[in-house]
């Protein structure tokens, strides 16, 4: 009986972007508000690793944030559909997740922090999206479909598990598996150990993110140039010949506009083994980047 769960067939839910795009847009802004609190109150870590959220057994969380002689954590609970604030001095408060504008959420969230004695100011303009609206002015995004959000979180649970299996194969420098609220994607990144050439015209955020050679893989629920949920993989800097490599599975392809390999989420979830299919994509795209980029693979891999 102990192994019964492992014997069950994998079942990754369908979540076409069209079915929850309004909720997605609203939730994206909510995660940015929470993420910016972590950004404001934590010391900068290489490649901005101090800012993401992490997949939990119930949703997404910041991990512990120091605040004076106290600490607190913020958690999106996608089972009870609430944003939870818990402090080291025993306070436990929650904000319901329900249809409401970003402006209303921002106001009530900041009041929640103040009620626990936490004063923080964040930059109120969203990051990494076109035509941003300041959080306290955004009455455009106001949707919340709890069933769609729970499906999204269950997908993140599955993907997080696979990415952690993939990460465990590598003994070189590697990022945690983390959720970037700016681009709204779950990602894990491997490093060759060498510094990368500085990108001409790059801003300070990009310079820090890509200061070293990387091979990165991630999951993105869609929007922009990719009109549905997809897995991506890229190398930075991209070695010559990378875009022409034959990677696995066969449905993976190189998007020349994005400069990344893509594998659509539906092609993974419909596979006989979604886990094996995703691992194959992660491994084959990494091998293309590492081999063509002349990484010292014998020193970096198990």
């Amino acid at each position: 009986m102990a192994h019964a769960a492992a014997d069950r067939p994998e079942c990754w839910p369908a979540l076409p972007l069209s079915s929850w795009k309004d909720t997605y847009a609203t939730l994206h802004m909510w995660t940015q508000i929470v993420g910016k609190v972590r950004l404001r109150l934590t010391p900068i870590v290489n490649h901005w690793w101090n800012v993401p959220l992490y997949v939990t057994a119930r949703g997404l969380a910041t991990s512990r944030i120091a605040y004076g002689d106290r600490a607190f954590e913020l958690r999106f609970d996608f089972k009870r559909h609430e944003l939870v604030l818990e402090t080291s001095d025993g306070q436990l408060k929650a904000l319901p997740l329900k249809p409401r504008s970003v402006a209303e959420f921002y106001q009530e969230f900041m009041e929640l922090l103040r009620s626990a004695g936490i004063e923080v100011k964040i930059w109120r303009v969203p990051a990494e999206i076109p035509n941003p609206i300041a959080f306290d002015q955004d009455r455009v995004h106001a949707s919340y479909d709890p069933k769609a959000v729970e499906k999204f979180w269950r997908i993140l649970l599955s993907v997080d598990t696979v990415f952690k299996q993939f990460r465990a194969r590598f003994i070189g420098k590697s990022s945690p598996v983390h959720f970037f609220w700016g681009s709204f994607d779950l990602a894990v990144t491997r490093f060759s150990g060498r510094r990368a050439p500085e990108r001409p015209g790059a801003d300070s955020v990009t310079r820090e993110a890509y200061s070293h050679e990387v091979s990165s893989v991630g999951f993105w629920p869609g929007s922009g140039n990719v009109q549905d949920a997809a897995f991506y993989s890229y190398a930075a800097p991209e070695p010559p010949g990378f875009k022409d490599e034959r990677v696995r599975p066969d449905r993976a392809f190189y998007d020349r506009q994005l400069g990344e390999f893509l594998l659509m989420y539906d092609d993974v979830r419909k596979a006989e083994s979604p886990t094996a299919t995703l691992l194959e994509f992660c491994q084959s795209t990494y091998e293309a980047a590492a081999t063509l980029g002349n990484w010292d693979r014998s020193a970096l891999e198990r």
Side-chain angles (χ1 to χ4, degrees), residues 4 72 87 90 92 123 141 186 205-206 212 255 272 288 295:
F72 69 95
T87 69
L92 187 65
W123 180 246
H141 303 108
L186 187 72
V205 173
T206 303
H212 291 70
D255 186 299
E272 183 177 353
W295 290 27

Side-chain angles (χ1 to χ4, degrees), residues 15-18 20-21 24 28 152 155-156 179-180 183-186 218-224 226-232 264-265:
L15 189 62
L17 180 61
S18 60
W20 77 302
K21 62 180 181 179
Y24 168 10
H28 189 180
F152 174 59
I155 293 169
L156 290 181
F179 184 85
F180 282 104
S183 46
F184 209 69
D185 59 338
L186 187 72
F219 167 74
W220 191 45
S223 186
V226 183
Q227 293 302 314
D228 228 323
F231 297 95
Y232 64 80
M264 303 310 293
Y265 169 72

Side-chain angles (χ1 to χ4, degrees), residues 11-186:
C11 183
W12 293 27
L15 189 62
L17 180 61
S18 60
S19 71
W20 77 302
K21 62 180 181 179
D22 293 335
T23 291
Y24 168 10
T26 303
L27 183 62
H28 189 180
M29 295 303 95
W30 292 356
T31 60
Q32 289 216 11
I33 292 168
V34 171
K36 286 191 175 207
V37 169
R38 185 172 188 227
L39 171 62
R40 180 68 180 83
L41 295 178
T42 57
I44 294 175
V45 177
N46 48 271
H47 318 298
W48 303 104
W49 292 353
N50 59 302
V51 304
L53 306 177
Y54 306 97
V55 177
T56 73
R58 300 188 68 88
L60 290 167
T62 59
S63 77
R64 183 183 67 86
I65 299 172
Y67 187 77
D69 60 356
R70 298 189 296 152
F72 69 95
E73 181 176 279
L74 293 161
R75 302 190 298 269
F76 283 98
D77 185 329
F78 295 143
K79 290 292 290 181
R80 294 178 61 89
H81 296 284
E82 57 188 19
L83 176 63
V84 179
L85 165 64
E86 186 167 13
T87 69
S88 58
D89 56 5
Q91 298 184 68
L92 187 65
K93 300 172 181 285
L95 180 66
L97 301 178
K98 61 183 182 180
R100 72 173 85 206
S101 70
V102 171
E104 290 175 292
F105 178 90
Y106 173 79
Q107 179 180 355
E108 293 187 29
F109 170 63
M110 300 308 284
E111 289 174 355
L112 181 76
L113 293 177
R114 285 192 290 269
S115 73
I118 299 168
E119 296 286 342
V120 59
K121 291 184 178 180
I122 64 172
W123 180 246
R124 294 175 292 104
V125 179
E128 301 184 52
I129 63 165
N131 307 312
I133 306 170
F135 299 134
D136 59 343
Q137 302 298 317
D138 186 353
R139 295 176 176 81
V140 174
H141 303 108
S143 300
Y144 190 79
D145 177 350
K147 291 184 178 179
V149 171
E150 187 166 344
K151 282 184 181 180
F152 174 59
W153 160 67
R154 291 196 176 278
I155 293 169
L156 290 181
L157 280 176
S158 296
V159 176
D160 184 76
T161 298
V162 176
F163 282 179
K164 284 176 177 172
Q165 290 179 42
F166 175 63
R167 184 181 187 271
R169 299 173 176 178
F170 196 73
I171 59 176
K173 176 181 171 181
S174 182
S175 77
V177 179
H178 43 202
F179 184 85
F180 282 104
W181 41 263
S183 46
F184 209 69
D185 59 338
L186 187 72

Side-chain angles (χ1 to χ4, degrees), residues 12 162-163 165-166 169 190 217 231-233 246-252 261-263 267-268 271-288:
W12 293 27
V162 176
F163 282 179
Q165 290 179 42
F166 175 63
R169 299 173 176 178
R190 292 176 169 186
V217 64
F231 297 95
Y232 64 80
S233 182
R246 182 75 176 268
V247 302
R248 303 180 303 275
D250 289 341
R251 287 187 173 273
F261 282 102
L262 296 179
L263 176 62
D267 289 329
V268 173
E272 183 177 353
S273 171
T275 291
T277 302
L278 179 52
L279 278 172
E280 185 178 41
F281 177 71
C282 295
Q283 185 66 30
S284 66
T285 53
Y286 158 72
E287 288 178 356

